[in-house]
Amino acid sequence: MKKKYMIAGTVLLFVSIILFENVYEDQISEWFQQTETYEEETLAAEEVSSIVTQAEEDDSLSFADHELFIGLTDEEIKNEFGEPTRIDLSAYGYDWWIYPFSNNSYMQLGIEKGEVVTAFLTGNIRGESLSLGQTYDEINELLKFKEKVDVISSDGGMYQFELTNEDLKMRPLGQIEDVWVQFYFDTHTDELSSIRILEKDVLIKQRPYSVSYRGAPPERPTFSEDQWARIEEGNAKQIFDFTNIIRTRHGLEPFEWEEDVSRVAYLHSRDMSENEYFSHTSPTYGEVSDRFDRGGVPFMLAGENIAAKYVDGLASVEGWLNSEGHRVNLLHKEFTHLGVGVFKEHYTQNFLTPWQL
């Protein structure tokens, strides 16, 4: 008897389930669709983190031995390369150690708390070329340069850099192992001009591209007037050094440093910064020729490049190299002397051909 009741109960339950599915079919589908939507929304909320993690897991590229600098101690650097030619203060908390190896190879190492946190390299690196290649296409084939790049700072901050089309052509960003690399290309030849290797926190501190982020951005260090003067002087010398590397690369004679012209250039950079304009024509002091005359600098031929808001002088030179008019001045055969003046984030090059005595 009990067995019959159990069988009957099972049949009734089965029939009830079928009727329920038929009657509420639309509602059931809606419930399950809501579950899928909820999962998709959860994935979307984690998208930035997931993208970064995936990039790190899939990235099989690595530096060759001659390209390893980040994390080396200052003692290891001195043991390998000797004392730097000079040490310049940067605007980002590290000191630049300057190593001009030759007329076409040049290195700056950013040292903070006794370790290398960034490096700027052009020419041969420890006597060898960059292992990823020397042309845009070669390097892009390996790294697949992206318009949007996600970076997570050491304290968990999330940042997304957005590169313009110009950025992608001139200074794309890529990740190799656990560090970041800016590749500066000469867009007139599509060849690599220089590279800048950075720890992620240095990249975030510099913010060389448009960026969006969660939380507060990292604070940049503050400086006294004397410290700013050191930073500006260092930037001016770096612009001069790197400009001569580029001229040698193109088979031209290097410039001679002209102190009086540097003073003219510095005053123009300061005038632009303090009076909030950006032009070769000063509302107060006039054209380039007027400023040369005011500075007591006679000339047969003169020229000028200006830039603003670059992360440093090195970046401004790469910008000039890829701008037609500025490039003409950098590579002008007739110019023989150069003066450079930097004030905060304003950069001026004044070119000179003096009268022959």
Side-chain angles (χ1 to χ4, degrees):
M1 190 69 177
K2 290 182 179 179
K3 185 174 181 181
K4 290 181 178 180
Y5 282 132
M6 289 178 64
I7 294 172
T10 301
V11 171
L12 286 172
L13 179 61
F14 180 72
V15 171
S16 297
I17 290 171
I18 292 174
L19 288 172
F20 184 82
E21 288 180 344
N22 289 332
V23 173
Y24 296 102
E25 181 177 1
D26 293 339
Q27 182 65 49
I28 291 171
S29 298
E30 184 178 345
W31 288 343
F32 278 95
Q33 181 63 39
Q34 286 176 347
T35 302
E36 291 176 3
T37 303
Y38 177 78
E39 290 175 352
E40 288 173 0
E41 289 173 353
T42 303
L43 289 172
E46 298 173 352
E47 185 176 3
V48 173
S49 176
S50 298
I51 290 172
V52 174
T53 303
Q54 187 67 33
E56 291 175 351
E57 292 174 354
D58 290 347
D59 189 1
S60 59
L61 293 176
S62 60
F63 283 115
D65 288 344
H66 67 280
E67 298 160 346
L68 297 175
F69 289 96
I70 302 299
L72 295 181
T73 67
D74 51 4
E75 288 302 318
E76 289 174 315
I77 295 301
K78 284 190 284 188
N79 288 340
E80 181 175 359
F81 300 105
E83 294 287 342
T85 300
R86 65 175 191 274
I87 297 177
D88 296 337
L89 182 62
S90 82
Y92 302 99
Y94 52 82
D95 290 330
W96 276 125
W97 286 25
I98 312 299
Y99 289 95
F101 294 130
S102 68
N103 288 336
N104 54 26
S105 293
Y106 178 84
M107 177 174 77
Q108 291 188 197
L109 299 178
I111 307 289
E112 185 174 12
K113 297 179 180 178
E115 289 189 356
V116 178
V117 296
T118 184
F120 179 86
L121 310 164
T122 187
N124 289 339
I125 305 168
R126 290 181 169 124
E128 298 186 49
S129 299
L130 183 68
S131 61
L132 300 179
Q134 292 297 309
T135 69
Y136 187 97
D137 289 341
E138 288 173 344
I139 300 172
N140 188 34
E141 178 68 23
L142 295 172
L143 289 173
K144 310 297 183 189
F145 297 134
K146 298 179 178 64
E147 178 183 342
K148 295 182 179 180
V149 179
D150 301 292
V151 182
I152 299 178
S153 65
S154 295
D155 60 5
M158 303 179 72
Y159 300 80
Q160 185 176 79
F161 291 104
E162 186 167 351
L163 283 67
T164 64
N165 288 334
E166 183 181 77
D167 291 331
L168 286 171
K169 292 177 181 177
M170 291 173 49
R171 44 183 174 268
L173 180 67
Q175 187 177 17
I176 302 176
E177 299 177 332
D178 58 347
V179 299
W180 294 89
V181 184
Q182 281 184 284
F183 298 89
Y184 292 101
F185 289 97
D186 182 338
T187 57
H188 292 77
T189 64
D190 283 334
E191 293 183 349
L192 186 67
S193 175
S194 62
I195 63 172
R196 189 191 299 259
I197 309 172
L198 314 93
E199 283 189 345
K200 55 189 175 184
D201 291 337
V202 175
L203 173 64
I204 292 168
K205 191 182 296 184
Q206 290 188 357
R207 299 194 292 278
Y209 313 99
S210 176
V211 63
S212 56
Y213 51 85
R214 295 180 184 177
E219 293 185 3
R220 292 177 177 173
T222 57
F223 300 99
S224 66
E225 287 188 12
D226 288 343
Q227 288 173 320
W228 265 116
R230 286 180 54 201
I231 294 169
E232 292 158 0
E233 181 182 2
N235 266 314
K237 291 179 178 178
Q238 292 160 31
I239 288 173
F240 179 80
D241 290 342
F242 187 36
T243 297
N244 277 340
I245 292 287
I246 290 173
R247 284 182 66 84
T248 301
R249 186 186 299 164
H250 286 83
L252 299 170
E253 289 295 318
F255 288 125
E256 295 182 30
W257 178 268
E258 185 63 48
E259 188 63 35
D260 291 341
V261 177
S262 295
R263 180 64 180 170
V264 173
Y266 170 79
L267 291 175
H268 188 55
S269 290
R270 182 169 181 170
D271 185 33
M272 287 191 292
S273 177
E274 292 181 341
N275 292 292
E276 299 180 349
Y277 74 94
F278 184 72
S279 173
H280 292 289
T281 303
S282 167
T284 306
Y285 304 111
E287 307 294 338
V288 178
S289 58
D290 298 324
R291 287 182 267 117
F292 269 57
D293 291 340
R294 187 169 182 269
V297 181
F299 63 92
M300 183 172 69
L301 185 65
E304 181 173 80
N305 286 346
I306 57 175
K309 308 303 180 183
Y310 284 92
V311 298
D312 57 20
L314 297 168
S316 72
V317 176
E318 291 288 7
W320 287 324
L321 183 64
N322 285 302
S323 171
E324 187 63 44
H326 300 94
R327 183 185 182 93
V328 168
N329 284 337
L330 286 176
L331 304 179
H332 201 300
K333 294 181 180 179
E334 302 301 322
F335 288 138
T336 57
H337 293 66
L338 174 64
V340 183
V342 178
F343 185 82
K344 301 293 176 63
E345 294 182 334
H346 284 74
Y347 311 90
T348 301
Q349 285 183 313
N350 281 149
F351 304 89
L352 170 71
T353 303
W355 290 105
Q356 300 298 321
L357 298 178

